[in-house]
Amino acid sequence: MKKYDLVVIGAGPGGTPAAMAAAQFGKSVLLVDKRDAPGGECLFEGCIPSKVLENAANRFEIFKEMKAFHIDVDGKEQIHWEAVLEDKKQILKRRSMGALKQVERFPNLEFRQGTARFTDTHTIDVDGEKIAFDHAIIATGAAAFLPPFEGKGVKNAWTNAEVFEKTELPEEITFIGAGAISCELVQMFNKLGTKCHMLERGERILKHIDEESAMVVQEKMIREGIDVQLNVTFGKIEGEEGAFSVSYTQDGEAKVLETPYLLIATGRAANVEGLGLETVGVDFDRHGIHVDETLQTTQENIYAVGDCTVGPKFAHWATYEAGIAIHNIFAPMKHKTDMSKLSWVLFSDPQIASVGLSEADAQKQGMEVSVERYDYAVDARAQLDKAEEGFLKFVIEKKSGIIRGIQIVSEDASSLSGEASLIVANELKAMDVMKTIHPHPTLTESFGKLAQQIFFKSMMQPRR
């Protein structure tokens, strides 16, 4: 029986960097994935495909904005959907082959396509072959979770995986759920001229995100013609592609929505089925594998990272966790994950970026904070770009003066999130940010201007 120092199950943004890091330590490593190349769902069905389509939609939208800049465009703009999908295909191929070449640089790292299952705490079965290991990392990611809706139509609906494979741009589509995936996709399709509906159980979209930020996006969706229906109780979902029927009640009134296409995006479920976790005593539930702060499971030689665990489900978080897991397996000192400095970006319109704690997060922790705000309506760059919607917020711990969280709502929040991450990770105060000279006219000036605003506000307060 062949034996490895480390077996990694799943070759996405958590598993692949973990395997390569272990190989750099000189360890013998087996990386197993059901696909024939590294990348995971983020590359093949999530982050990257959605951004290819989003880029096309945003550039298509520019034609509609030309008149605001006094530019006439002759003729009727047209999107070549099949060409966009071909771009997506080529980018995915390029990135997956690039990842495979990186893996192949290490002679002590073997990549194998197959399905892995634990048979005991030091053995896995890969398509019938038994393989021994000292340590294992589970990085199998997550997939779309379909709630137990009534009706036969549920199994025929799209998820984020299928929507990127359709060769024709739909004329009309309904989204069930108003989380990150739905909000990104519904705005993308709306920009391309698709008639869009969104049905959500809650009282607003993006229920896990700072309410002020979410409401900016919700209000823009409604202004741009997206049919957003909130406080919905779902009944039966019937039909198939081309003719769906969604029954629901809203404010006590029974309603039926007929729609040719239906996409369900109501959360994620960890990919743990078939791994044999029960056999080796690794605790898990629908939300994921249970790990401690060192990413160790309930079995001491088995670790788990990324979306398959209970915790944040972001590609960059999985990569961060991969480094910590490898350190904790092979280095003498243990490191712990620190969610207080987590950053993320929602590629909505406008974009939302968040780093560290929101005001609600701080309140849950019993931390006394002040929230300071800079409005992009007064910003020079935002005015020049005619993109004045949005704001920058600092969440400041009153006791220490440290900026514990930053929220950004802006057309280009993703580009601003790097500076925000550095501020929170290094526990800077407003005075530290004020020392930075930001170029004019850029949106990054907003950090300095907000820091100045905070400083002068503090100077006006009476001394004790």
Side-chain angles (χ1 to χ4, degrees), residues 155-430:
K155 68 179 189 303
N156 298 321
W158 294 345
T159 67
N160 66 292
E162 291 84 20
V163 70
F164 300 125
E165 301 303 321
K166 300 305 171 183
T167 56
E168 293 184 3
L169 182 65
E171 292 184 4
E172 183 176 358
I173 184 171
T174 296
F175 294 81
I176 290 182
I181 292 173
S182 278
C183 288
E184 288 187 4
L185 290 177
V186 75
Q187 287 188 297
M188 179 194 79
F189 278 109
N190 187 61
K191 288 176 181 179
L192 295 174
T194 299
K195 183 179 180 181
C196 294
H197 310 271
M198 177 178 279
L199 305 179
E200 163 60 27
R201 294 178 184 177
E203 60 185 16
R204 67 173 176 91
I205 68 169
L206 300 167
K207 65 180 179 180
H208 297 300
I209 289 178
D210 171 68
E211 183 172 359
E212 185 181 11
S213 302
M215 290 307 296
V216 174
V217 175
Q218 179 174 307
E219 289 164 7
K220 184 165 188 179
M221 282 183 181
I222 295 169
R223 284 200 312 271
E224 294 187 340
I226 297 172
D227 174 33
V228 179
Q229 298 295 327
L230 305 172
N231 296 309
V232 164
T233 301
F234 290 99
K236 284 188 176 182
I237 298 174
E238 301 289 3
E240 58 187 5
E241 193 169 306
F244 284 98
S245 173
V246 182
S247 301
Y248 65 96
T249 57
Q250 186 182 45
D251 299 326
E253 181 183 354
K255 298 181 180 182
V256 177
L257 176 63
E258 305 289 344
T259 182
Y261 298 102
L262 181 67
L263 188 148
I264 299 177
T266 49
R268 313 288 291 164
N271 290 325
V272 294
E273 188 175 347
L275 287 174
L277 300 184
E278 306 93 335
T279 305
V280 292
V282 171
D283 287 349
F284 68 96
D285 56 32
R286 181 183 75 79
H287 301 289
I289 297 169
H290 299 171
V291 294
D292 63 15
E293 291 176 308
T294 70
L295 300 171
Q296 190 178 55
T297 69
T298 47
Q299 184 56 243
E300 64 179 2
N301 68 316
I302 300 176
Y303 287 67
V305 302
D307 288 9
C308 68
T309 67
V310 177
K313 300 192 186 306
F314 300 104
H316 50 283
W317 178 258
T319 302
Y320 162 77
E321 288 188 319
I324 290 179
I326 290 300
H327 178 93
N328 290 340
I329 291 171
F330 296 116
M333 297 290 290
K334 294 285 186 181
H335 284 183
K336 295 181 179 180
T337 56
D338 183 2
M339 280 193 282
S340 70
K341 291 162 185 166
L342 172 64
S343 65
W344 53 261
V345 176
L346 177 69
F347 290 88
S348 52
D349 183 12
Q351 296 176 355
I352 301 175
S354 181
V355 183
L357 303 180
S358 67
E359 183 178 8
D361 293 331
Q363 289 173 349
K364 288 177 184 176
Q365 295 183 16
M367 182 185 296
E368 192 175 358
V369 296
S370 63
V371 178
E372 304 296 337
R373 191 179 189 278
Y374 174 85
D375 198 317
Y376 283 119
V378 302
D379 187 85
R381 182 75 257 173
Q383 291 173 356
L384 290 168
D385 293 340
K386 300 186 187 296
E388 302 171 27
E389 199 167 34
F391 53 82
L392 170 69
K393 287 199 300 191
F394 286 175
V395 179
I396 303 170
E397 184 180 21
K398 285 187 176 181
K399 182 178 180 181
S400 65
I402 293 171
I403 301 168
R404 296 295 185 187
I406 298 177
Q407 283 80 50
I408 309 166
V409 177
S410 165
E411 185 179 70
D412 200 22
S414 56
S415 297
L416 301 174
S417 61
E419 180 166 351
S421 297
L422 287 170
I423 290 169
V424 174
N426 289 283
E427 300 186 340
L428 301 187
K429 301 179 180 181

